[in-house]
Amino acid sequence: MKLETVTTTPIEGQKPGTSGLRKKTRVFMQPHYLENFVQSVFTAIGGVEAKTLVVGGDGRFFNVEAIQTILKMAAANGASKVIVGQNGLLSTPAASHLIRKNKTDGGLILSASHNPGGIDEDFGVKFNGANGGPAVETVTDAMFAATQTITEYKIMSGGAADLGTVGTTQLGEMVVQVVDPVEDYAALMETLFDFGAIRALFADGFTMRFDAMHAVTGPYAKAILEGALGLPEGSVLNAVPLPDFGGGHPDPNPVWAKPLMDEMMSQDAPDFGAASDGDGDRNMVLGRGIYVTPSDSLAVLAANAHLAPAYASGLAGVARSMPTSGASDRVAEKLGIASFETPTGWKFFGNLLDAGKATLCGEESAGTGSDHVREKDGLWAVLLWLNILAVRKQSVADIMADHWREFGRNYYSRYDYEAVPADLANTVMDNLRGRLADLAEKTFGDLRVTAADEFSYLDPVDGSTSSGQGLRVWFDGGYRAVLRLSGTGTEGATIRIYLERYVEFADTNGLDAETALQPLVAAVLSLTDFEAVTGRTAPDVTT
Ligand code: VG1
Ligand code: CO
């Protein structure tokens, strides 16, 4: 093997978004594309000389090829060791845990999360720091700056690491340690939850389906749910990770996990249903005949976390992303603990978790997590739910009804308009931004605006500010709408409209979400002149 220094020139558009750099797979496969970005990551963190990294991905098309390139570049740049998941697999939360457990200098995670995989689909790379969490904005800004001035990268030519066998090998001077992707993560879960209680629940005939969606969580769910916890074999569906996720979107929501959704809404549905995404950091939670919105899930977990051993002494605080409903704020208020509202993206929770200000965090996009790692964690959320169900011995529907009775209900939905031409999406946002100051007291549809602004976040830990994080409009009657553009799409722009309505003392026999939110949908579409500007008459995905 020989160290090569390759001359290159900057490639446009390598700006990390909400969660790393995401592009079409063919874009990543272009000569120098991945290499330029990886070298720029190394530059942004002050080089990798004598450092240790974790590398792994969700198994999608190009995963192993990209890992081999990264290993050769880490070796050429003087890294002392890289810990890799066997066959290149690591879920995002498992990678976060390995970074923390082994006190490494960070890690590279290869995933485009819930986006489909394949040569004509999506690929992504993100860097997590030594705390195990996604690189903060100052670091991602430094990465982007480095991509704009790069002139060369270093790589070892020839050779490849054996990723199929657990154990230690060398790549040049660098140690490559291939680890079982599940083992350490499963051990961590066992320290957090009452596995005995969950095992007893399953032994008692409590039934469950877990849809791994042919993504990375399959082996984890098999080992933990069917292995350690004794859930009958076959309860974990689509458990083998595939490079194209079986042709689907590994996105755990009622649209993309429809077969599971249908089963849970059927006559003889199991007691509990769950799914996770491409890289295992998202989760969907269902009970027999009921879908739990991610915002409600965060609130229920916050209200009941003390029933699990890891959180028995209570929570320091609860953090949610701004578009997430206010349901968890009400729980925090009642518990007398702090609540935080951050911009979209897990990178904003890291400081709060590191400082011990928040214990649980969550996003409306199906991400929940805690201070056990620095990422959202799909299987963790499912296990916390199971621990709560094992203690409360109630159905999911009854737990939700109790919760809404106690705290009121935040009806919630998100409309996604995908692949909108960027100029049209910007027109929607610019027009609304321009009118924010004059909206108060005006009526749209049947609703009167009470306030409107653009969200800006002041990080209470490091004092940094992140502006331009979404447009918010509040209306009389407990309604709130948020508009923002996605930072993870790979085609045109995705406009997200987040819809929320708070109702006191609602119960499961009350309104359905669609009816409850209808006046808000009408108001927002009229306020933004949405159909005329975008030509779109219906969202592509409603969750
Ligand atoms: C989306 C979600 C956001 C999430 C991000 C990464 O971002 O809305 O809540 O943190 O994806 O999730 P955006 O910018 O498209 O709205 V994942 O599971 O990629 O790691
Ligand atoms: Co994900």
Side-chain angles (χ1 to χ4, degrees), residues 113 277 279 281-282:
S113 190
D277 72 333
D279 61 329
D281 56 359
R282 296 186 180 203

Side-chain angles (χ1 to χ4, degrees), residues 295 320-327 329 341-342 344 364 410-413 447-448 450-453 455 469-483 497-502 516-517 520-521 523-524 527:
S295 296
R320 63 168 173 86
S321 68
M322 181 275 284
T324 305
S325 93
D329 299 0
E341 186 177 41
T342 60
T344 294
E364 52 63 44
N410 294 72
Y411 287 99
Y412 196 86
S413 185
L447 301 183
R448 195 181 63 101
T450 54
D453 73 2
F455 181 56
Q469 296 295 333
L471 307 176
R472 310 189 280 191
V473 186
W474 290 268
F475 300 85
D476 266 338
Y479 291 93
R480 180 188 75 156
V482 174
L483 271 85
I497 304 183
Y498 306 82
L499 306 152
E500 177 183 1
R501 174 184 180 185
Y502 176 70
L517 294 167
L520 183 58
V521 174
V524 174
L527 158 65

Side-chain angles (χ1 to χ4, degrees), residues 12-57:
E12 243 180 74
Q14 294 198 321
K15 187 175 168 53
T18 313
S19 181
L21 183 66
R22 256 177 227 183
K23 298 285 172 194
K24 288 286 165 204
T25 310
R26 285 189 196 274
V27 172
F28 264 104
M29 292 169 74
Q30 287 166 34
H32 309 308
Y33 195 93
L34 174 67
E35 292 85 346
N36 270 22
F37 186 68
V38 170
Q39 189 69 51
S40 300
V41 169
F42 292 169
T43 303
I45 60 169
V48 292
E49 176 105 52
K51 289 185 179 173
T52 299
L53 297 172
V54 169
V55 178

Side-chain angles (χ1 to χ4, degrees), residues 19 22 58 60 92-93 111-115 126 250 252 276-283 365-366 375-376:
S19 181
R22 256 177 227 183
D58 64 9
R60 69 180 60 224
T92 286
S111 172
S113 190
H114 51 289
N115 296 12
K126 54 183 172 175
S276 61
D277 72 333
D279 61 329
D281 56 359
R282 296 186 180 203
N283 71 92
S365 55
E375 283 280 5
K376 51 190 187 277

